[in-house]
Amino acid sequence: MSDILTIKNLRVEGRPPGGTYVPIVKGVSLNVAKGEVLALIGESGSGKSTISLASMGFARPGCRISGGEIWLNGRDIMKLSPHDRHALRGNEVSYVAQSAAASFNPALRIGKQVIEAPLWHGAGDAATLTATAVDLYRKLDLPNPDTVGNKFPHQVSGGQLQRLMAAMAMSCGPDLLILDEPTTALDVTTQIEVLKAFKDIIRDQGTAAIYVTHDLAVVAQVADRILVLKNGEMVEEGPTAQILHDPQHEYTRTLMAAVRPAPHLVDHVDASAAQAPVISARNITAGYGALTILSDVSVDVPAASVVGVIGESGCGKSTLARVVAGLTPLREGEIKLDGKVAAPSVKDRPRDTLKDCQIVFQMADTALNPRQRIGDILGRPLEFYQGLKGRARLDKVGELLELVDLPRSFASRFPGELSGGQKQRINLARALAADPKVILCDEVTSALDTVVAAGVIDLLKTLKDKLGVAYMFISHDLSTVASFADEVVVLYAGRVVEKGPSKAVFSPPFHPYTKLLLSSVPEMRQGWLEGVADTGEAKAASAGSVVIGAKGCPFSNRCTHVISGTCDTVAPPLRVLSDGLEIACHLPTGELPDRGL
Amino acid sequence: MSDATEFAKPRASVFAGLRLTRTAIFAGGILLFWLVLALFGPWIAPHGEADIISTKTFAPIGEGGWLGTDKLGRDVFSRLIYGVRTTLLLALVTTVISFTFGVTLGFAAAILKGWFDIVVSRIVEAFMAFPSTLLALVVIGAFGTSITVLVLTVGLVLSTSVFRVSRALGYDIGVMDFVEAARARGEGTWWILTREILPNSMAPLIAEFGLRFTFSILFLSGLSFLGLGVQEPAADWGLMVQENVGGLFLGSSAALIPAACIASLTVSMNLLVDWFQQRQQGETVLEKIDQ
Ligand SMILES: Nc1ncnc2c1ncn2[C@@H]1O[C@H](COP(=O)(O)OP(=O)(O)OP(=O)(O)O)[C@@H](O)[C@H]1O
Ligand code: SF4
Ligand SMILES: [Mg+2]
C-alpha cells in the first residue's frame, strides 16, 4: 500500500509564556494512502489542527514538535533542513483554511494568486499554469471558468471563493491536501457545492487528504476513514461506516449521540392568541448607513414560546435582533414590547421596557468583559434593573449561577477562566438577571461543540418551562430550530419568505428557498451528498448569489421555479395558506414544491 | 456535563506573576536607580546645583568633583543628580498632561462619533502635520520660556499621538459584544467608558505611556539643548549637554555624561515597554495554544 503520509508517535508541546511546555498532542500515529481521505474529528482543543499542521512539519508559534516521525513520500520531514521543509509546502503539501477570505490578497486578481505557488516552485510558465488553473476551475464547477481568474476576491461569493481556494491548493498538484474545517464558515446551501467540488477533485487527482472538522455529517460524505481525537490522544480509528454506525469507544458514542438529529418534527404548543405577543415587530425596514438590510419584516413572538429565525449568513438575522433590542434603530415600522410601543433607539427606552427584552450574543467569548469578575457581570443588571445591593445582590448572583447549572464559586472568576460552554451559560444568566419576558438568542450555540451546544439547548428548554420566558431563537442550524421552536420565520436577503408554526414550515408545501435550505442540511447517511448535489435546485442555487435589495423576488436568480417576467420584477407578497402558514411566492399554492425530506 | 469541570488556577507570587525577563530586570533596575536618585537627590548630592565649587572650569573626572566640573566650575555630579529630578518630573508632568487631553478626547471621539469626532480628528491631524520641534519653537517663541509654557506645549505635542491611540482603541473595543450588551442594557456613556472600555484599554495605554514618557524626555532635552527648555541655573540633562558642549574640544566629558544618562533612561524605558508588550502578546499566544 502506498502511503503518502505516515505519522508515528507524534508529540507536540505548547508553552504558555514564561511557563513550561505542556503536551498538546500525546503520541498520535496515523497514515494516509494515495487517494484516501482521512478525517480528524474531535472537540475543539483536541489537537485536530495541531496534527494537521504538524503533517507539514509546521507548529504554531509557541508550540514545538517534540517527538515522533513524520514521513511524507518516503522522507522523514523532521530531518529535512528548514529550507527544504519549507519547499514542501505549496509543492507536495497544500493547505486549505477555514476562511478563504483571509487567505486571498484582496488587492490582487484571483488567477494570479492561484498560480503563484507553482510559478514560484518553477512548475511552468504563467500561460501553461493559467491553462491548468482554468481546467481546475472547470472541474470545480465554477461559473465562467475562463474569466473567473480575472476577478478580484470580493467580486465572487463566499462559496465560490472557497472553491477558488481549493483551486489554489490544487494548482501545484500536491500529493497531500490538508483541509482544516473548509466549510465550517459556509451556509448549508453553499456547503454542498464546495463539498462536492472537493470530493470530485480529490478523486480525480488521486490526492491523499486530511480533512479536519467537527461536523460528523460532513465527515460521512467525504471521508474514507475517521480518526477520533480527544485531548491530544487517539480514541478510535476505523473506516467511516464503522465509526458512524458501530462506534466502539464510549467517547465516540457520546459524540454520535450529540449529533443533531435530522430535522424531525415535534408538536409544539400553539401560541395562545389571547395573550398579547411579547414582541410584535410590524413592517420593519432597517439597515446600516446607506444600506438597507431588512425590508418590510413582521415578526411576532407570543409569550412563553420559541420563535425560530432561520436563513443564511448575511440575510439579516442579527440585524433583526439588534433592531428589536434597539441597538440598530429601525427606519420604518413599529416595535411593541409586551404590548407597549418601544422607541426605536435603546437610548430612549425606559428601564422597564429594556428589562423585558434581553439579548444574548453569538460569540460567547467577546460578550463578556474580560476585566470583570462573573459576580460583577451578573450583579450589574441586578443592580441596574432591580436596585439590588450588597448581600441581596450576592445571593441573587449565586441563584442565577445555580439556575444555569454552574457552581456558586464561579462568581469570583474572570471570563478567561471559563470554557466556551460555561461562558455561554454566564451570558444566559446575565440576560436572566433582568427577569425578562423574552430573550433574543443570536446563534447562541453556533460557536460551541455539538456536545456542549446540546447542553445549552437543554438548559434553554428547562428555563423556558421554569420561568415562562420566551425566545427569539436565531440560528442557521435547522435541526435545532425544528425541534425547539414553536414558530419559524425564514428570512432571505432581508425579507420574510415564509413563516408559520414550525410544523407547517418544515412540511410541504414549501417556499422554494425553504425547500433548498432543508434539503441542504447534511445527513449522516453516506452518499447523501451525491444525491443532493445533482438536483436542479442545488445547481440553480449555486449559479447565483444573494442579492440584497432586489426589485422582484430576492430569490429569483437562484430559483428553479422562476416565472420570468413576473418573479424578477414584482416582489411577491406574503400570502396566508392553511394553518397560519404564510409564504411569499408567485407560484400558485398547488405548484409550490412539496416532496420534502 | 463536560463544560462544568473545575479549573485549577495556580496563584504564584507577585514576581512570578510578572514573568520578568533578564532584560526587564536590568532595565527596571536602571530606572529604579534613577528614580531613587530623583527622590533623594538633594540629600545625596555633595553640592547644590548652582554652587560653584572650583575655579577650574571643565575639570576632568576626579578633579574638583567626582565627575569633574562644568563650564562655570560647578560640580557635574551634583548637577547630574539634581538634573534627573527635573528631567523625570518634567517628563512625568508632560506625559500626564498629554494623557489627560489625549485619552479624554480620543475616547470621546470614539464614543460620540459624528461631527465631534470629525472636528477633533481634523484639528489633531493639522497639528501633526507640523514637525513637533517647529511647533514648540513657534509656541515658546510666542509665549516666552516659562516652565508652564514649556510643559503645556510639550504636553500638547505629545497628546496628538495619545489621541490617535485612544481613539483607535475606543473604536475597536466599542464594537465588541460586551459593550453592545451594556448598551442594550441601557447603560449610559459614562459607565460604558469607565467600566467597559477603559479597563480593557489599560495594557496598550500603559505601553503608550512608557513610549510617550521616553519621547518626552528626548523632546525636552532637545528643547533644552536649543535653549528653549529649562533655564539656568536649574539643572537639566539636556541643558547640561548644551552648556558644556564647548568643553568637548578641551577634552571634558561634562557634556557626554548627561547625554549618556539620557540614553540610559530612554533605552531602559523602551526595553521595559517592549517586555510589557511582549508579555501581553504572550497571553494571546497562550489563548491560541489552548484552542
Ligand atoms: N455595522 C454594519 N455596517 C454595515 N453593514 C453591516 C453592519 N453589520 C452588518 N452589516 C451587513 O448587514 C447584512 C446583514 O447582517 P447580519 O449580521 O444581520 O446577518 P446575519 O443573518 O446575522 O448573518 P450571520 O448568520 O452570518 O450572523 C450583511 O450583509 C452585513 O454585511
Ligand atoms: S416568487 Fe418566483 S423566484 Fe421567488 S421563490 Fe417564488 S417562484 Fe421562485
Ligand atoms: Mg448573525
Side-chain angles (χ1 to χ4, degrees):
Chain A
M1 191 151 132
S2 60
D3 280 345
I4 300 286
L5 176 78
T6 310
I7 292 182
K8 287 183 197 149
N9 206 15
L10 174 74
R11 285 194 305 278
V12 183
E13 298 179 336
R15 182 170 58 113
T20 49
Y21 278 99
V22 288
I24 300 177
V25 174
K26 306 159 191 164
V28 169
S29 302
L30 57 86
N31 65 303
V32 193
K34 192 168 161 51
E36 187 187 37
V37 181
L38 173 75
L40 300 182
I41 61 172
E43 293 174 49
S44 73
S46 56
K48 302 185 296 274
S49 298
T50 314
I51 294 177
S52 65
L53 286 174
S55 46
M56 300 191 290
F58 185 73
R60 265 188 280 233
C63 299
R64 66 171 185 206
I65 297 172
S66 60
E69 294 164 26
I70 303 163
W71 292 81
L72 181 72
N73 279 334
R75 274 171 304 164
D76 186 349
I77 60 173
M78 289 321 290
K79 298 223 169 73
L80 297 178
S81 70
H83 178 265
D84 289 346
R85 209 181 309 146
H86 189 79
L88 293 176
R89 293 172 212 150
N91 193 8
E92 289 173 45
V93 205
S94 278
Y95 186 78
V96 178
Q98 182 162 350
S99 160
S103 302
F104 276 98
N105 180 339
L108 294 178
R109 290 182 198 280
I110 292 166
K112 204 172 158 185
Q113 303 187 49
V114 168
I115 61 166
E116 192 181 328
L119 204 59
W120 190 78
H121 286 288
D125 62 286
T128 43
L129 288 172
T130 307
T132 328
V134 170
D135 219 34
L136 277 172
Y137 300 154
R138 198 162 284 126
K139 282 187 194 140
L140 287 165
D141 236 344
L142 282 157
N144 313 321
D146 295 313
T147 52
V148 72
N150 295 330
K151 294 194 176 178
F152 287 100
H154 67 93
Q155 292 171 322
V156 299
S157 78
Q160 288 167 0
L161 200 62
Q162 198 73 29
R163 277 184 281 168
L164 286 161
M165 170 107 179
M168 179 149 89
M170 296 302 292
S171 64
C172 57
D175 301 313
L176 176 67
L177 183 64
I178 296 166
L179 302 139
D180 193 349
E181 307 253 11
T183 61
T184 308
L186 302 176
D187 287 300
V188 279
T189 50
T190 339
Q191 174 166 285
I192 290 186
E193 55 182 89
V194 176
L195 279 182
K196 183 79 172 48
F198 282 167
K199 192 165 178 182
D200 288 349
I201 204 132
I202 290 171
R203 290 275 175 286
D204 196 70
Q205 315 268 324
T207 318
I210 292 183
Y211 197 104
V212 176
T213 183
H214 65 262
D215 190 335
L216 288 166
V218 165
V219 166
Q221 306 315 316
V222 295
D224 299 310
R225 271 189 307 133
I226 298 181
L227 193 139
V228 186
L229 289 164
K230 187 186 186 192
N231 294 332
E233 277 169 299
M234 190 182 90
V235 170
E236 186 171 359
E237 198 224 318
T240 304
Q242 182 248 307
I243 299 276
L244 291 182
H245 304 301
D246 185 22
Q248 302 296 312
H249 195 278
E250 189 56 41
Y251 178 69
T252 319
R253 277 191 221 123
T254 346
L255 271 185
M256 294 298 155
V259 166
R260 44 172 186 217
H264 72 281
L265 302 177
V266 284
D267 270 316
H268 298 290
V269 276
D270 276 334
S272 57
Q275 260 181 310
V278 276
I279 297 176
S280 166
R282 294 272 134 250
N283 311 94
I284 304 288
T285 299
Y288 306 94
L291 208 64
T292 302
I293 305 292
L294 297 176
S295 33
D296 202 20
V297 172
S298 299
V299 177
D300 281 339
V301 180
S305 68
V306 183
V307 173
V309 178
I310 56 179
E312 53 199 277
S313 170
C315 70
K317 303 184 298 289
S318 300
T319 308
L320 179 61
R322 293 177 54 88
V323 168
V324 172
L327 289 170
T328 301
L330 50 83
R331 301 226 182 101
E332 285 164 38
E334 184 185 69
I335 290 173
K336 278 188 185 160
L337 293 175
D338 205 21
K340 298 182 289 281
V341 178
S345 167
V346 69
K347 288 189 202 111
D348 308 322
R349 294 186 183 174
R351 282 191 193 185
D352 284 347
T353 315
L354 290 169
K355 169 187 149 315
D356 284 342
C357 173
Q358 294 287 308
I359 185 164
V360 176
F361 292 97
Q362 175 167 359
M363 305 304 288
D365 293 339
T366 56
L368 300 174
N369 187 338
R371 305 276 160 185
Q372 284 176 8
R373 289 182 194 278
I374 304 302
D376 294 326
I377 290 175
L378 297 182
R380 178 60 188 170
L382 292 172
E383 188 181 320
F384 189 79
Y385 292 121
Q386 298 165 23
L388 290 187
K389 290 229 165 61
R391 190 78 237 159
R393 189 178 115 158
L394 215 62
D395 287 343
K396 193 75 215 246
V397 167
E399 273 172 43
L400 283 169
L401 282 169
E402 275 171 9
L403 201 59
V404 294
D405 297 336
L406 293 176
R408 277 174 182 254
S409 61
F410 270 37
S412 58
R413 290 197 184 183
F414 284 102
E417 298 165 73
L418 267 53
S419 73
Q422 290 168 343
K423 280 184 204 158
Q424 202 56 292
R425 281 161 196 266
I426 298 292
N427 274 324
L428 262 178
R430 175 172 59 187
L432 290 170
D435 191 17
K437 297 219 163 61
V438 58
I439 301 180
L440 311 169
C441 302
D442 188 0
E443 311 247 16
V444 287
T445 55
S446 35
L448 304 175
D449 285 315
T450 36
V451 181
V452 181
V456 171
I457 295 289
D458 283 341
L459 175 66
L460 285 172
K461 285 183 186 154
T462 321
L463 291 174
K464 184 186 125 183
D465 297 339
K466 213 191 271 181
L467 309 172
V469 57
Y471 302 114
M472 181 157 126
F473 188 80
I474 296 172
S475 180
H476 62 252
D477 183 354
L478 300 184
S479 346
T480 312
V481 171
S483 53
F484 183 42
D486 302 308
E487 284 183 41
V488 174
V489 178
V490 186
L491 280 184
Y492 183 80
R495 287 186 227 185
V496 177
V497 294
E498 177 164 3
K499 71 175 175 186
S502 148
K503 197 164 184 181
V505 170
F506 286 114
S507 50
F510 298 109
H511 183 279
Y513 174 67
T514 317
K515 170 80 198 304
L516 172 73
L517 208 55
L518 289 177
S519 53
S520 305
V521 179
E523 289 171 23
M524 290 285 276
R525 183 161 53 82
Q526 279 177 287
W528 165 84
L529 177 66
E530 281 69 19
V532 76
D534 291 331
T535 56
E537 269 133 7
K539 289 224 168 89
S542 67
S545 58
V546 185
V547 183
I548 286 198
K551 192 147 73 68
C553 170
F555 193 50
S556 57
N557 61 339
R558 300 173 70 194
C559 180
T560 36
H561 305 277
V562 60
I563 314 163
S564 56
T566 313
C567 294
D568 42 7
T569 48
V570 186
L574 268 176
R575 88 175 178 269
V576 183
L577 284 83
S578 54
D579 312 330
L581 179 69
E582 292 177 57
I583 287 183
C585 178
H586 286 303
L587 290 177
T589 311
E591 287 174 35
L592 286 169
D594 52 3
R595 52 194 160 80
L597 314 157
Chain B
M1 195 72 246
S2 69
D3 65 335
T5 44
E6 283 286 332
F7 279 60
K9 179 86 185 172
R11 284 256 174 264
S13 82
V14 180
F15 282 106
L18 281 177
R19 294 201 300 270
L20 287 168
T21 61
R22 207 167 303 176
T23 337
I25 294 173
F26 180 68
I30 292 180
L31 283 181
L32 203 66
F33 169 74
W34 286 125
L35 204 66
V36 169
L37 269 195
L39 282 177
F40 303 105
W43 293 278
I44 298 172
H47 307 281
E49 58 183 325
D51 295 352
I52 295 177
I53 57 155
S54 160
T55 47
K56 186 158 188 250
T57 59
F58 292 133
I61 290 179
E63 249 175 75
W66 259 25
L67 294 176
T69 60
D70 72 353
K71 68 165 184 186
L72 296 178
R74 292 173 296 199
D75 182 23
V76 171
F77 180 59
S78 303
R79 275 181 77 72
L80 213 54
I81 292 175
Y82 276 94
V84 69
R85 255 190 142 174
T86 330
T87 306
L88 282 182
L89 187 69
L90 283 184
L92 189 70
V93 172
T94 48
T95 316
V96 167
I97 291 176
S98 72
F99 265 69
T100 317
F101 285 120
V103 171
T104 315
L105 287 177
F107 281 131
I111 287 184
L112 300 175
K113 302 197 173 81
W115 65 264
F116 182 83
D117 182 22
I118 295 172
V119 170
V120 180
S121 295
R122 289 297 164 279
I123 294 177
V124 169
E125 274 160 32
F127 266 109
M128 291 187 99
F130 286 100
S132 39
T133 320
L134 201 68
L135 192 71
L137 249 148
V138 171
V139 178
I140 296 172
F143 292 99
T145 49
S146 78
I147 284 289
T148 325
V149 173
L150 181 71
V151 161
L152 284 177
T153 314
V154 176
L156 189 75
V157 167
L158 295 180
S159 67
T160 53
S161 144
V162 179
F163 169 82
R164 298 228 306 189
V165 170
S166 321
R167 179 174 171 274
L169 277 171
Y171 262 99
D172 285 354
I173 300 173
V175 296
M176 304 217 14
D177 284 346
F178 62 85
V179 181
E180 288 287 275
R183 252 182 224 132
R185 195 190 307 139
E187 299 285 5
T189 310
W190 183 246
W191 171 279
I192 289 177
L193 185 62
T194 54
R195 302 301 183 89
E196 311 284 348
I197 296 185
L198 215 50
N200 287 290
S201 332
M202 264 356 252
L205 283 184
I206 289 173
E208 176 69 11
F209 192 92
L211 291 178
R212 278 320 109 205
F213 190 76
T214 315
F215 186 76
S216 173
I217 293 174
L218 288 174
F219 195 49
L220 281 164
S221 306
L223 287 178
S224 297
F225 186 76
L226 291 176
L228 296 170
V230 179
Q231 300 297 314
E232 283 195 76
D236 171 85
W237 288 353
L239 183 65
M240 286 173 71
V241 177
Q242 186 242 354
E243 289 166 350
N244 300 319
V245 83
L248 274 181
F249 308 104
L250 306 169
S252 157
S253 53
L256 293 182
I257 294 169
C261 290
I262 294 173
S264 82
L265 199 59
T266 51
V267 169
S268 307
M269 195 69 192
N270 261 328
L271 286 175
L272 213 60
V273 169
D274 272 355
W275 160 79
F276 181 75
Q277 277 175 330
Q278 242 155 36
R279 183 175 154 253
Q280 294 305 116
Q281 252 163 25
E283 274 171 5
T284 55
V285 170
L286 175 64
E287 277 160 25
K288 291 208 184 87
I289 296 173
D290 282 345
Q291 281 168 13

